[in-house]
Amino acid sequence: MSITDDEARTLLRESALRATAPRLAVLRVLAEAPNPLSHTEVLECLGKTDWDPATIYRNLIKLRDAGVALVASHAHGMDRYELAHGDGHHPHFVCEGCGRVACLPAGLTASMSMEGPWATSIQNAMVQLRGECPDCLAKA
Amino acid sequence: MSITDDEARTLLRESALRATAPRLAVLRVLAEAPNPLSHTEVLECLGKTDWDPATIYRNLIKLRDAGVALVASHAHGMDRYELAHGDGHHPHFVCEGCGRVACLPAGLTASMSMEGPWATSIQNAMVQLRGECPDCLAKA
DNA sequence: ACGTTGATGCAACTCAATTGCATTTATTTG
DNA sequence: CAAATAAATGCAATTGAGTTGCATCAACGT
């Protein structure tokens, strides 16, 4: 997946966010990433820039707060962001070994009978399938 | 839920873990807690003791590694532990507001059509239903 | 172009998680 | 039952993600 500069600017305008250079770059990195990325990983994807890490960090927060991105996983103590595509929620695979997070196809169906005080609180669901990724399995 | 001293010692012996005072205490706290607890929360439940926080921390790790406990949630950057009861996996509710994690009844069924390299990697599933807990809803 | 308001750079700080090492202690063994 | 041994603990220090204050700068609505 990728995103054009115009698409990115439109997306930001719709969310009342200013189209700054680092913000557009973060948006592009997230759009092109096959998996959710942590702050550190976003920095790596950006390569050498003269943008402050805190700026990238704040942009991830902003995008998340605006609903443009979301935190797909907190695994291994790291927030990993992905764009909030309209394609609904999909499950993720989380490697217990290296912590990598991969998107899985949305072929999961779930039904739940929920009662009590929590029922009205539930806003969304997060499904993580966990285990050792192919790489980590190979090492062992 | 609670646990007797004998049950705790047996459980530890089966896992080849020594029955030390802090370890038994951690086990008891986890057994009595209605929700998954973070390291900090375990310390709070223990009250004033002369055990080092690092000791409690390492005990949580040990119990997890031994399969006696598991990390039910990484929400809000904190690992929250619960005993790995035989009652299979149950979903959790995670409050986006305060980060509290609550156990939900295991009334969730899911089916998944999975192919490709990940299929063989999947060892277990984690389901989190997210939103604002009754307390946080009340504040807003 | 101009002003308002949001964004950035820099630096510092918080807090959970983690580790090294010397000492103590629960279990194993003779 | 005491010595041996491997694990657990206490203490102190470190890592690293996440977060924030503040002065400066720039996007964009008028």
Side-chain angles (χ1 to χ4, degrees):
Chain A
M1 256 304 229
S2 72
I3 192 174
T4 67
D5 191 72
D6 273 355
E7 286 169 340
R9 286 176 185 278
T10 302
L11 187 55
L12 290 178
R13 168 145 326 180
E14 286 169 350
S15 307
L17 297 178
R18 292 188 185 173
T20 64
R23 185 162 295 164
L24 289 168
V26 167
L27 214 41
R28 188 167 39 72
V29 164
L30 288 183
E32 289 172 358
N35 304 316
L37 300 177
S38 66
H39 170 226
T40 305
E41 288 168 336
V42 169
L43 289 178
E44 287 167 1
C45 288
L46 286 172
K48 190 188 168 306
T49 71
D50 38 347
W51 296 320
D52 193 276
T55 296
I56 305 305
Y57 170 76
R58 277 191 273 229
N59 272 310
L60 288 170
I61 302 289
K62 270 282 180 186
L63 291 173
R64 184 198 58 190
D65 288 348
V68 175
L70 53 84
V71 175
S73 154
H74 300 278
H76 277 231
M78 280 161 57
D79 290 354
R80 284 167 196 265
Y81 297 81
E82 71 179 354
L83 289 190
H85 291 116
D87 65 353
H89 289 287
H90 55 267
H92 291 99
F93 178 86
V94 177
C95 179
E96 312 266 20
C98 63
R100 254 178 59 208
V101 176
C103 298
L104 295 176
L108 181 138
T109 60
S111 69
M112 178 134 198
S113 55
M114 176 62 41
E115 293 167 18
W118 302 111
T120 54
S121 290
I122 295 168
Q123 292 167 359
N124 64 73
M126 187 172 93
V127 176
Q128 289 186 354
L129 302 173
R130 308 175 76 91
E132 304 246 305
C133 71
D135 284 358
C136 286
L137 277 178
K139 282 184 207 154
Chain B
M1 254 309 227
S2 72
I3 191 173
T4 69
D5 190 74
D6 273 355
E7 285 169 342
R9 287 175 185 278
T10 303
L11 186 55
L12 290 177
R13 169 145 323 183
E14 286 169 351
S15 307
L17 296 179
R18 294 187 183 173
T20 64
R23 185 161 295 164
L24 288 168
V26 167
L27 215 40
R28 186 169 38 73
V29 164
L30 289 183
E32 290 173 358
N35 304 316
L37 300 178
S38 67
H39 171 227
T40 304
E41 287 166 337
V42 169
L43 290 179
E44 287 167 2
C45 287
L46 285 173
K48 189 187 168 309
T49 70
D50 38 347
W51 297 320
D52 194 273
T55 296
I56 305 304
Y57 169 76
R58 278 191 271 230
N59 273 310
L60 288 169
I61 302 289
K62 270 282 180 187
L63 292 173
R64 185 198 59 191
D65 288 348
V68 175
L70 54 83
V71 175
S73 155
H74 300 278
H76 276 231
M78 280 161 54
D79 290 354
R80 284 166 196 264
Y81 297 80
E82 70 180 354
L83 289 190
H85 290 115
D87 65 353
H89 290 287
H90 54 267
H92 292 97
F93 178 86
V94 178
C95 179
E96 312 266 20
C98 62
R100 253 179 61 208
V101 176
C103 298
L104 295 177
L108 182 138
T109 61
S111 69
M112 179 133 196
S113 57
M114 176 61 41
E115 292 168 17
W118 301 111
T120 55
S121 290
I122 295 169
Q123 292 167 359
N124 64 73
M126 186 173 93
V127 176
Q128 289 186 353
L129 302 173
R130 308 175 77 89
E132 304 247 306
C133 72
D135 283 358
C136 286
L137 277 178
K139 283 183 207 154

